[in-house]
Amino acid sequence: MTDIKKFFLNGESYYIKHDINLFELIDYFNYNNYLLVLEHNNLIQNKKNWKNIFIKNQDKIEIVTIVGGG
C-alpha cells in the first residue's frame, strides 16, 4: 500500500507519494530560493535546514517571495 501524504502549499492542497524535503519542493515548483521566505508549520525555516526537513502528512507550507522594485 502506498503512503500518500497530503500537504498544503500557500493554501492549496497537494498530494505526494514519495518522501521529499523542502529544498526539493522549492526546486520542483521552480522558486528562486535566494528570494523567498519559507514557513513550515508556522515556523520560519532557515535555508540551511531545508534539505533535512521532509514533508509529512498535513504539513502547512507558506512561501513568500521577495520582489524588488522602485
Side-chain angles (χ1 to χ4, degrees), residues 20-33:
I20 64 169
N21 60 40
L22 295 177
F23 183 83
E24 294 167 327
L25 180 76
I26 296 301
D27 186 53
Y28 178 82
F29 282 100
N30 204 26
Y31 281 100
N32 182 342
N33 65 17

Side-chain angles (χ1 to χ4, degrees), residues 21-24 46-54:
N21 60 40
L22 295 177
F23 183 83
E24 294 167 327
N46 190 311
K47 190 182 304 184
K48 68 181 180 180
N49 297 326
W50 291 355
K51 290 185 179 180
N52 300 322
I53 300 172
F54 286 84

Side-chain angles (χ1 to χ4, degrees), residues 9-56:
L9 175 62
N10 294 339
E12 298 288 327
S13 59
Y14 294 90
Y15 298 87
I16 54 174
K17 292 182 183 180
H18 304 286
D19 289 335
I20 64 169
N21 60 40
L22 295 177
F23 183 83
E24 294 167 327
L25 180 76
I26 296 301
D27 186 53
Y28 178 82
F29 282 100
N30 204 26
Y31 281 100
N32 182 342
N33 65 17
Y34 294 104
L35 300 173
L36 64 83
V37 175
L38 189 145
E39 180 183 293
H40 176 250
N41 294 331
N42 300 318
L43 295 172
I44 302 294
Q45 295 297 332
N46 190 311
K47 190 182 304 184
K48 68 181 180 180
N49 297 326
W50 291 355
K51 290 185 179 180
N52 300 322
I53 300 172
F54 286 84
I55 295 174
K56 298 182 185 88

